Amino acid sequence: MWAAIVGGESGDMSPTTDWSAWHADYADPTSLLSERLRVVQRHIHRWLDESAPDPVTVVSSCAGDGRDILEVLSDRDDSERVSATLLEGDPRNVHRASRHIRRLGLSGIEVRCTDAGSSNAYAHAVPADLVLLCGIFGNITEDDVHRTIAAAPQFCKPGAVVIWTRHRKDPDLTPSIRRWFSDHGLAEVDFVAPEHALYSVGVNRLVGDPQPLVGDQHLFRFVR
């Protein structure tokens, strides 16, 4: 499947944040956002190395322009074994992701313009071997963070890996997030929390049982 754009209900985007313009900080390789991206990408590379040579599936929630997974695949000679579904609510980011996929010549990538805060968006995209929940937990309520983590086993194949991000500004929610993942059968593999910055990147693996996807669930809504 070549860079398919699947239409649908767009995300319930915040009236105060332009999530297309937000990506501008990636243009500065010294920015903390770029640094966090590199951490996420290192973990994706590591996961792909560990899973080689088997075919694998990826779902990325609130994928933005998809650069976390797309830039990784562009560096690898085994990208054809990866099928990925990118879920993104901003049509501008969706079109940028699609152009990037075509430019890189990557196959097996589907881009959906949809509200990733609803479980319906994940139909036919899950269960996946890798679940990306990056750039979400810092923009939603604590209750929605917990609700999304509780639903994460619905997105996972047995042994799937989840990569997530969250800032550590006061009040720091990451201790609770790490506990919630464990409580819901996702054991911690790594947690990156650099002293010079307030971002964090978590990696968890499903050690409990996967769960079937339940439709019509509210997972989260951006509040900023």
Side-chain angles (χ1 to χ4, degrees):
M1 182 183 302
W2 286 94
I5 302 179
V6 180
E9 182 181 359
S10 62
D12 189 0
M13 308 304 292
S14 162
T16 59
T17 302
D18 184 330
W19 291 107
S20 178
W22 178 87
H23 286 71
D25 278 353
Y26 285 125
D28 178 3
T30 67
S31 72
L32 291 176
L33 188 61
S34 292
E35 181 180 308
R36 189 191 75 176
L37 173 65
R38 290 190 292 270
V39 174
V40 170
Q41 290 175 333
R42 281 198 298 271
H43 280 293
I44 296 174
H45 269 298
R46 186 177 304 166
W47 172 77
L48 285 169
D49 290 341
E50 292 173 351
S51 64
D54 297 327
V56 289
T57 56
V58 179
V59 64
S60 179
S61 182
C62 297
D65 62 10
R67 69 181 65 202
D68 46 8
I69 183 66
L70 297 180
E71 290 181 359
V72 168
L73 294 179
S74 72
D75 288 337
R76 301 184 64 94
D77 58 12
D78 62 349
S79 62
E80 290 302 312
R81 69 184 177 93
V82 179
S83 299
T85 304
L86 312 183
L87 309 177
E88 170 58 28
D90 189 311
R92 296 166 297 177
N93 288 334
V94 169
H95 284 288
R96 276 206 297 268
S98 179
R99 288 197 302 269
H100 195 184
I101 292 166
R102 289 196 298 267
R103 185 167 60 251
L104 295 173
L106 295 172
S107 63
I109 311 298
E110 176 184 345
V111 186
R112 297 183 184 177
C113 188
T114 188
D115 179 8
S118 167
S119 65
N120 293 338
Y122 299 80
H124 309 298
V126 298
D129 298 295
L130 176 66
V131 178
L132 300 178
L133 300 176
C134 300
I136 299 174
F137 292 164
N139 301 299
I140 63 179
T141 67
E142 181 175 337
D143 286 345
D144 280 0
V145 173
H146 194 183
R147 182 179 297 106
T148 302
I149 293 171
Q154 299 177 34
F155 308 151
C156 294
K157 291 182 180 180
V161 166
V162 177
I163 301 177
W164 56 274
T165 63
R166 162 75 191 207
H167 64 73
R168 288 175 286 119
K169 300 174 184 177
D170 290 333
D172 182 4
L173 192 60
T174 59
S176 295
I177 291 174
R178 298 168 74 183
R179 183 178 69 254
W180 293 335
F181 271 112
S182 178
D183 289 345
H184 291 284
L186 291 134
E188 187 167 282
V189 176
D190 198 6
F191 180 70
V192 179
E195 292 184 359
H196 67 277
L198 290 177
Y199 73 79
S200 58
V201 177
V203 183
N204 292 73
R205 185 181 299 276
L206 183 68
V207 294
D209 294 328
Q211 300 173 8
L213 182 67
V214 177
D216 297 321
Q217 291 182 89
H218 163 75
L219 300 173
F220 60 81
R221 179 185 183 275
F222 276 28
V223 294
R224 58 178 294 272

